[in-house]
Amino acid sequence: MPTPSENTLFGMGNPLLDISAVVDKDFLDKFGLKLNDQILAEEHHKALFEEIVQKNKVEYHAGGSTQNSVKIAQWMIQEPHKVATFFGCIGTDRFGEILKKKAEEAHVDAHYYEQNEEPTGTCAACITGDNRSLVANLAAANCYKKEKHLDLDSNWELVKKAKVYYIAGFFLTVSPESILKVAKHASENNKIFCMNLSAPFISQFFKEPLMKVMPYVDILFGNETEAATFAKELGFETDDIAEIAKKAQNLPKENTKRQRMVVFTQGKDDTVATVGEKVTRFPVLDIDQNDIVDTNGAGDAFVGGFLSSLVKEQAVEECIRAGHYSANVIIRRVGCTFPEKPDFQ
């Protein structure tokens, strides 16, 4: 089994500082939030960020979907450090400093594009029971510029070093041209490019950039809700998750040397994945309902575990087993956090 070297895994996305707090239903209603939804903050949500900090005992964690996943991949791998590279945009402020420190502690090789026009992005995780509603205020994360960062020789060298690439669909709202440049590089060099459907609103409102990238996607991740929305938007005319996976697998693809793999998680229900020509179901690890602390980050953690085995060139069954393990660890804790070392055999 090959040991991955530094910068084997490349991630690019929206680095956000997660502000998580337990709230009540009134708080959700006040800001028009739905259970288990992910949305981008609008004008009327601005007050939410101030209120959540004043009102409740909050926890701050380095977040952002892609950054979470590469951080968990690095945690699962342990050694060497800096197997994972991460690009994204932050502000020159206190929250930005926290993110830099947290990335360093997680042994991720983060190279942020820093600008001072917008503050570092935040994501309010409003937790009620075992549900969570996420409101992201991208701010600086929205300011990522291909020509100011990705195109710089020193940064592009890091992209070229990687063998596996992962970008959450959320980044389609920021810099689709950056995603395409990386995706085409992966495709032309027969490397593995992975993407996540991320949230229903991506398929609904960013379908055009999503479908521009799709021909370069080797592995597509998503959950059952995102899969259903994706199917609806593309006119698949089915709500059977296995059928949706198959149809997504068969969408046009540039690099024909690799068959596309589609992996859909369904919370406590089986994970569904296309393995070769067939669709296979993989049961998740059992967990007592009382042990679930926070499902925020479960999907990111699954991808992180999956990627940690993928960079070691392991079979899909192993990748999914690692994904199930890391998701199981994460949901027992607040935020996308983890113990010092994994206990994964």
Side-chain angles (χ1 to χ4, degrees):
M1 202 171 68
T3 306
S5 49
E6 276 191 15
N7 309 113
T8 303
L9 172 64
F10 176 84
M12 179 166 61
N14 300 331
L16 304 173
L17 193 71
D18 282 347
I19 305 172
S20 33
V22 174
V23 301
D24 54 21
K25 192 168 178 316
D26 292 346
F27 184 87
L28 296 185
D29 293 344
K30 179 177 177 181
F31 292 104
L33 304 179
K34 292 196 272 244
L35 293 175
N36 285 325
D37 202 10
Q38 303 106 308
I39 60 167
L40 293 178
E42 292 172 45
E43 207 43 56
H44 65 277
H45 293 116
K46 293 287 191 277
L48 177 151
F49 288 88
E50 283 153 30
E51 201 168 309
I52 200 166
V53 173
Q54 284 160 4
K55 231 188 168 74
N56 309 282
K57 189 168 141 289
V58 296
E59 296 204 18
Y60 292 101
H61 299 286
S65 183
T66 305
Q67 186 165 244
N68 281 342
S69 293
V70 298
K71 204 165 64 176
I72 286 181
Q74 180 65 56
W75 170 70
M76 287 284 283
I77 292 162
Q78 290 284 311
E79 301 278 338
H81 292 165
K82 297 190 173 179
V83 167
T85 316
F86 179 74
F87 286 5
C89 182
I90 59 174
T92 48
D93 51 22
R94 188 172 69 90
F95 282 175
E97 289 306 313
I98 294 174
L99 281 185
K100 284 200 279 197
K101 193 164 144 286
K102 296 277 188 192
E104 203 177 316
E105 285 167 8
H107 307 300
V108 168
D109 194 14
H111 293 256
Y112 296 115
Y113 169 49
E114 296 179 46
Q115 50 73 58
N116 52 20
E117 279 164 43
E118 285 281 345
T120 297
T122 48
C123 178
C126 311
I127 301 158
T128 47
D130 57 6
N131 294 304
R132 52 100 186 108
S133 191
L134 305 181
V135 185
N137 181 25
L138 295 184
N142 217 4
C143 301
Y144 189 83
K145 298 277 183 289
K146 175 176 164 288
E147 58 287 352
K148 295 251 178 83
H149 195 262
L150 186 67
D151 292 346
L152 303 182
D153 289 347
S154 58
N155 289 334
W156 189 247
E157 282 305 313
L158 288 169
V159 176
K160 290 191 339 203
K161 263 178 92 173
K163 295 190 178 128
V164 175
Y165 301 84
Y166 174 65
I167 301 176
F170 289 125
F171 201 56
L172 286 163
T173 75
V174 174
S175 185
E177 60 285 355
S178 295
I179 302 178
L180 272 173
K181 182 173 181 177
V182 172
K184 283 176 179 171
H185 166 79
S187 178
E188 284 157 12
N189 294 278
N190 197 28
K191 298 176 185 180
I192 304 173
F193 182 81
C194 316
M195 191 142 200
N196 202 316
L197 293 174
S198 291
F201 81 84
I202 298 292
S203 297
Q204 289 167 315
F205 307 116
F206 295 89
K207 182 171 135 191
E208 195 187 338
L210 173 65
M211 295 320 289
K212 269 197 184 136
V213 179
M214 198 57 69
Y216 305 101
V217 176
D218 296 300
I219 304 178
L220 181 68
F221 295 103
N223 67 23
E224 72 280 36
T225 323
E226 294 148 12
T229 307
F230 181 67
K232 202 165 105 211
E233 289 299 323
L234 287 180
F236 283 176
E237 291 181 353
T238 177
D239 48 17
D240 177 288
I241 190 125
E243 238 175 278
I244 296 171
K246 196 77 206 135
K247 290 196 171 199
Q249 180 187 35
N250 291 330
L251 289 167
K253 191 163 188 304
E254 278 293 321
N255 176 13
T256 50
K257 292 195 199 94
R258 291 182 188 278
Q259 186 179 28
R260 180 179 297 121
M261 186 193 300
V262 179
V263 185
F264 290 146
T265 56
Q266 310 185 82
K268 60 183 187 306
D269 297 327
D270 295 358
T271 294
V272 170
T274 60
V275 182
E277 290 310 315
K278 55 185 198 297
V279 178
T280 312
R281 290 174 181 270
F282 298 87
V284 301
L285 295 167
D286 281 338
I287 186 167
D288 185 326
Q289 209 52 32
N290 299 324
D291 291 335
I292 298 176
V293 175
D294 176 8
T295 54
N296 183 25
D300 295 340
F302 171 82
V303 172
F306 188 104
L307 294 172
S308 72
S309 287
L310 188 66
V311 296
K312 295 177 192 162
E313 297 171 24
Q314 292 181 325
V316 58
E317 293 77 4
E318 266 310 291
C319 295
I320 288 174
R321 197 170 74 84
H324 284 164
Y325 168 79
S326 45
N328 186 276
V329 170
I330 294 308
I331 59 180
R332 298 167 189 268
R333 309 164 67 93
V334 172
C336 203
T337 60
F338 35 79
E340 193 189 339
K341 282 193 162 66
D343 174 24
F344 179 69
Q345 264 77 47

